[in-house]
Amino acid sequence: MSGAHLWLAVFGGFLVIAFLLLLTKGLGIYLAPLFSDQNKRAIAVAIGYLTSDLLLRYILAPRSFAEYAYYTLPISKTSYAWQSLFLAHVNIVNLLALGFFTFYLSGINLEGDFKVIYLTGILVLVSTNNLLVLLLKRSKIAIIVAVTFIGSAILHYKFYLVDIVYNQIVANGMSTALVIWAVAVVAAFIDVFYHYTSESYQADGKPLFRMPRFGFNLKDPILWQEVLLIIRNKRPRGLLISYLIMPPYLLYTLRKGLMVEEPSAGILFFLLYFIIGGLAVQYGYLGLSWESMHFDVLMTRTRLRDMLISKYKLLTYLNIIAVFIALLVLIAMPAALFPIIAVALFQIGMGTYFVLYIMAYNNKRIDINKTSFFNYQGISAAQFINPLVLLFAPCLIFWLMSLLLGSTVTFAIFGAIGLAGLLYRNRLFSKVNNHWVKYRYHLIENYRRS
Amino acid sequence: MIYVSGLKKHFKGQQAVNIEKLQIDKGDIIGIVGNNGAGKTTFFRLLLDLLLPDGGICEIKNEPVKGNEAWKKFTGAYLDERFLIPYLTPNEFWKFVLNAKGIEGDDIEKYINSYKSLLTDDLKSKKFIRELSAGNKARVGIIAAFLGNPELIILDEPYANLDPTSQNVLINLIKNKPAKTTVLVSSHDLNHIQKISDQILLMENGAVKNILSKSESDLSDIQQYFEYKEEV
């Protein structure tokens, strides 16, 4: 790992932990009234943990559950180095577990014995989960440890003596459980290392950033050239930087107002949609014009649908960055977690397609390496109106619906629309693709002439 | 390899291309000549599905070009700077081209190194394409058109910005192309066209005026066609 990557990893790690803390603060607000009984809440957390783990593994796995195990251990045949093994344990499951630790650390009404039981429970969950993964990888140590775990649970019910030992562990709490967990993980870690260095391994493992089930792959050449477009050209870079500064600044100025008086649902939706959808709309409404100077090469080298999918991926990544920024709202308004999730789902599942659809109307050529400030090249009335429609139309619909159905139901409907968009993404892609096919000659000609 | 029938394109009522019938066989090198406005570039753009024809059909390998993207996998083209990505380095651009063809890994360097004779120091440096001279940009585009052993290569006036040595390198590249590769080259330089072409296509007002072989009489016909005739 080079210096820059290490720095990024450390910085990114801190950032993720900070946001997870915020997220768990928000989660706590929702969980507390739902599960006033602390035991029920602990069960809810356990179920949430395992469900999200399964869900994420399902998303990450390219084919079937049979390969379920491989997606937390991205070791390929050519690179079973320490770095890969390290990365294997900085996996999505453990990051989630970290999230639940931060939930615990956020200290929501946890006291006395419960605190100990709760933490022990989480540790057991994490270790069981890791062991399950290793078990599926045929790790011998993992099998032994798992059998011990299961065996101790059976013995716990059968024999009084074991029961005492078991209670002792719980009573001594964190330290004992932590030691068991650490020993299990280290033992399994060593075992896996020998397993992969001693045997020829057919590289089924995929890096963490590949999500083949959704076609997410950072190696996508079209996507990568567009990432370089943003980094290396003044106008898209300026636009991105101004966005990254503006919403946090807006939230900073609004924070006191949000703390004192809760905004109406309509205002909250607008604020969240502006933050979450704003970045994709800002970048996306200029859409294909970003490529106007080299549109011919894309049209003769790449399939239109591949280009569309790459654009979708890029806008989704921008949406995800924006969701992290939107989590800052939780500082002032912890109860805003549900609206944030609903708006994020709507934007990723549906809003992005509106942006992609409208892209085809932008037929003005722009010089991407000219500064973005006070630069209106490529923007005429249509390009001015499009982002306004993209931003305000959903807000207007939300406001009207919330008058009829109430805000909670309307947020839920918007989230459901987003989920439906994710499920029917192929149909939506086809719709946008046909629209682009219809407009492509028009775009090619205009980019050439203007 | 290429079949064109009844292909028509007008710009503001003026005929840009009007080709009744044209067939180009696999492996042929076709030189296209004609004065400015003869329709050479428009013909290429129609072949590459960059223009909507007013009528007629273009087929590559028996598949219509319009509404079909299969030809992109086996076609390499360089018409002008719009066929380059300005904010990439030449190496990144070539990798992009090969990746788009599904070629990855170690093969990439192998492909790029086979065009060593066209690589200048600037092309090996980390300079972005937009920072290169016109000649070097042409080199990047020409190499990109050849990368990945395409079955069809289309080059529009590729000699225009090249120095004499590079012009000769390009002539050799085209002459030594794989037997199955079809090449379409337009140029205003009759010497170059004569050196490389199996057949020469003479265009005038968007139409194919004549298809000529490399026989002495045909070559003198072309020379005669382009001769300056003083108006009396």
Side-chain angles (χ1 to χ4, degrees):
Chain A
M1 198 183 275
S2 71
H5 284 108
L6 191 68
W7 184 87
L8 263 176
V10 172
F11 179 72
F14 277 117
L15 213 63
V16 167
I17 289 168
F19 277 112
L20 279 173
L21 273 168
L22 269 174
L23 192 67
T24 49
K25 192 181 172 191
L27 265 176
I29 293 287
Y30 279 96
L31 283 173
L34 284 174
F35 300 101
S36 52
D37 182 336
Q38 288 174 327
N39 289 320
K40 281 185 187 168
R41 199 160 67 189
I43 293 166
V45 168
I47 291 170
Y49 171 61
L50 289 170
T51 313
S52 51
D53 174 36
L54 278 172
L55 194 71
L56 279 161
R57 281 165 199 267
Y58 173 75
I59 291 167
L60 289 164
R63 286 178 287 272
S64 67
F65 270 91
E67 294 176 26
Y68 163 86
Y70 291 105
Y71 296 94
T72 53
L73 199 65
I75 299 173
S76 70
K77 194 175 180 180
T78 50
S79 60
Y80 35 74
W82 281 106
Q83 187 190 331
S84 303
L85 276 169
F86 171 73
L87 283 174
H89 283 261
V90 189
N91 59 41
I92 199 80
V93 184
N94 288 328
L95 282 177
L96 264 178
L98 191 71
F100 286 97
F101 276 119
T102 53
F103 173 69
Y104 164 76
L105 291 171
S106 64
I108 305 154
N109 298 327
L110 296 178
E111 282 179 15
D113 286 348
F114 180 72
K115 212 167 198 172
V116 175
I117 294 167
Y118 182 76
L119 185 57
T120 313
I122 288 178
L123 290 171
V124 170
L125 263 179
V126 173
S127 54
T128 313
N129 206 331
N130 277 291
L131 287 167
L132 181 67
V133 170
L134 296 167
L135 196 65
L136 287 164
K137 289 177 197 305
R138 300 183 300 276
S139 159
K140 287 176 205 113
I141 298 274
I143 293 170
I144 295 165
V145 179
V147 167
T148 316
F149 259 84
I150 296 163
S152 68
I154 296 165
L155 292 172
H156 167 66
Y157 289 104
K158 293 283 176 195
F159 302 104
Y160 178 68
L161 186 69
V162 181
D163 202 25
I164 292 169
V165 176
Y166 201 86
N167 282 333
Q168 276 295 309
I169 292 171
V170 173
N172 290 326
M174 198 170 77
S175 52
T176 316
L178 197 64
V179 169
I180 294 174
W181 180 68
V183 168
V185 169
V186 168
F189 188 89
I190 292 166
D191 186 51
V192 170
F193 180 75
Y194 282 112
H195 175 71
Y196 284 107
T197 47
S198 60
E199 287 184 30
S200 173
Y201 170 62
Q202 288 299 318
D204 282 339
K206 299 280 187 293
L208 196 64
F209 284 113
R210 287 184 86 155
M211 295 173 75
R213 194 174 286 280
F214 289 106
F216 278 65
N217 176 6
L218 276 180
K219 278 187 173 176
D220 177 339
I222 314 173
L223 175 66
W224 183 238
Q225 68 86 20
E226 193 153 358
V227 171
L228 292 177
L229 183 151
I230 296 173
I231 296 168
R232 291 176 178 174
N233 293 285
K234 287 178 190 163
R235 192 160 172 185
R237 193 172 57 212
L239 191 141
L240 210 69
I241 291 170
S242 65
Y243 174 84
L244 290 174
I245 295 168
M246 198 170 56
Y249 178 73
L250 181 77
L251 287 172
Y252 178 75
T253 51
L254 287 176
R255 75 192 191 287
K256 278 184 183 159
L258 289 173
M259 278 178 191
V260 174
E261 196 181 351
E262 249 186 41
S264 70
I267 296 289
L268 182 64
F269 182 87
F270 174 73
L271 181 71
L272 293 176
Y273 194 66
F274 178 76
I275 297 169
I276 294 172
L279 184 53
V281 171
Q282 275 288 311
Y283 182 79
Y285 87 95
L286 278 169
L288 298 165
S289 286
W290 294 119
E291 273 103 4
S292 56
M293 289 167 80
H294 55 277
F295 203 56
D296 286 357
V297 71
L298 296 177
M299 288 293 98
T300 51
R301 293 286 183 188
T302 59
R303 285 169 65 230
L304 206 61
R305 194 178 168 87
D306 291 342
M307 203 174 145
L308 171 66
I309 291 171
S310 297
K311 285 266 181 201
Y312 175 79
K313 287 181 204 169
L314 181 75
L315 292 181
T316 304
Y317 293 146
L318 294 180
N319 284 328
I320 291 168
I321 293 171
V323 170
F324 275 100
I325 293 172
L327 285 176
L328 292 172
V329 173
L330 293 173
I331 297 171
M333 265 186 77
L337 186 68
F338 174 61
I340 289 173
I341 293 169
V343 175
L345 275 174
F346 175 75
Q347 175 57 22
I348 293 169
M350 193 56 75
T352 308
Y353 294 100
F354 295 146
V355 179
L356 289 168
Y357 197 86
I358 261 176
M359 270 183 191
Y361 293 119
N362 201 331
N363 54 23
K364 295 255 190 283
R365 184 184 158 142
I366 54 174
D367 185 347
I368 49 176
N369 205 26
K370 280 192 176 158
T371 179
S372 62
F373 298 102
F374 301 107
N375 184 355
Y376 301 105
Q377 187 196 22
I379 297 174
S380 61
Q383 286 73 41
F384 191 72
I385 292 165
N386 284 346
L388 293 180
V389 173
L390 283 170
L391 276 175
F392 287 105
C395 295
L396 185 70
I397 295 166
F398 179 90
W399 180 68
L400 289 171
M401 280 175 71
S402 65
L403 286 179
L404 290 168
L405 305 165
S407 61
T408 310
V409 175
T410 312
F411 272 121
I413 289 173
F414 268 71
I417 291 171
L419 269 179
L422 283 174
L423 288 173
Y424 292 100
R425 61 189 180 283
N426 284 334
R427 284 188 192 180
L428 289 168
F429 271 133
S430 295
K431 282 255 177 245
V432 181
N433 190 52
N434 293 342
H435 181 64
W436 279 24
V437 167
K438 196 174 140 193
Y439 276 84
R440 76 183 190 283
Y441 294 118
H442 183 64
L443 289 169
I444 295 167
E445 262 309 277
N446 277 290
Y447 290 154
R448 197 174 165 80
R449 281 183 193 165
S450 57
Chain B
M1 184 72 190
I2 295 172
Y3 175 73
V4 175
S5 172
L7 189 66
K8 286 188 177 74
K9 182 70 193 174
H10 292 82
F11 290 122
K12 291 177 184 168
Q14 204 169 349
Q15 178 179 289
V17 164
N18 183 8
I19 300 175
E20 277 299 310
K21 197 154 273 193
L22 178 68
Q23 188 155 350
I24 295 168
D25 293 333
K26 198 173 193 175
D28 277 0
I29 302 173
I30 306 293
I32 302 181
V33 292
N35 287 320
N36 288 337
K40 304 181 295 289
T41 306
T42 308
F43 172 50
F44 284 160
R45 292 182 69 78
L46 285 164
L47 260 182
L48 293 167
D49 198 29
L50 293 171
L51 276 176
L52 178 66
D54 296 331
I57 52 161
C58 272
E59 285 181 0
I60 298 180
K61 278 175 85 175
N62 301 323
E63 298 249 26
V65 167
K66 194 184 157 197
N68 182 346
E69 299 184 287
W71 58 271
K72 291 180 182 176
K73 281 275 175 206
F74 54 80
T75 303
Y78 179 67
L79 306 193
D80 55 36
E81 282 187 23
R82 288 179 185 84
F83 282 71
L84 303 171
I85 301 180
Y87 50 84
L88 299 185
T89 64
N91 218 38
E92 285 169 345
F93 177 64
W94 295 324
K95 279 181 184 170
F96 167 78
V97 168
L98 288 167
N99 284 165
K101 283 181 181 291
I103 300 165
E104 286 180 11
D106 298 339
D107 286 350
I108 287 180
E109 292 304 320
K110 195 180 76 190
Y111 273 112
I112 294 170
N113 282 333
S114 50
Y115 299 99
K116 255 190 275 184
S117 46
L118 275 175
L119 293 178
T120 59
D121 286 344
D122 268 358
L123 298 192
K124 291 176 202 162
S125 73
K126 296 272 179 195
K127 272 188 182 175
F128 295 144
I129 292 173
R130 65 180 167 222
E131 296 164 346
L132 299 173
S133 66
N136 275 331
K137 281 180 186 168
R139 281 190 188 86
V140 175
I142 291 163
I143 292 173
F146 277 87
L147 281 177
N149 295 332
E151 291 176 54
L152 173 64
I153 296 172
I154 300 176
L155 299 170
D156 192 16
E157 297 184 26
Y159 304 103
N161 289 306
L162 295 182
D163 57 54
T165 311
S166 301
Q167 288 180 4
N168 287 326
V169 171
L170 180 58
I171 288 168
N172 273 329
L173 265 180
I174 295 173
K175 275 181 161 177
N176 298 324
K177 56 129 186 111
K180 287 177 183 174
T181 306
T182 309
V183 183
L184 266 67
V185 188
S186 80
S187 178
H188 288 303
D189 191 320
L190 297 178
N191 283 330
H192 288 142
I193 288 292
Q194 284 169 16
K195 276 181 192 168
I196 57 164
S197 310
D198 298 323
Q199 284 184 311
I200 299 170
L201 213 137
L202 176 63
M203 287 189 78
E204 188 182 78
N205 293 329
V208 177
K209 188 174 166 65
N210 216 342
I211 300 174
L212 304 151
S213 67
K214 286 170 73 175
S215 67
E216 286 292 317
S217 63
D218 278 357
L219 291 178
S220 77
D221 281 353
I222 296 173
Q223 296 287 359
Q224 232 172 0
Y225 176 83
F226 287 107
E227 249 172 38
Y228 173 66
K229 293 160 195 111
E230 208 166 343
E231 283 179 29
V232 185

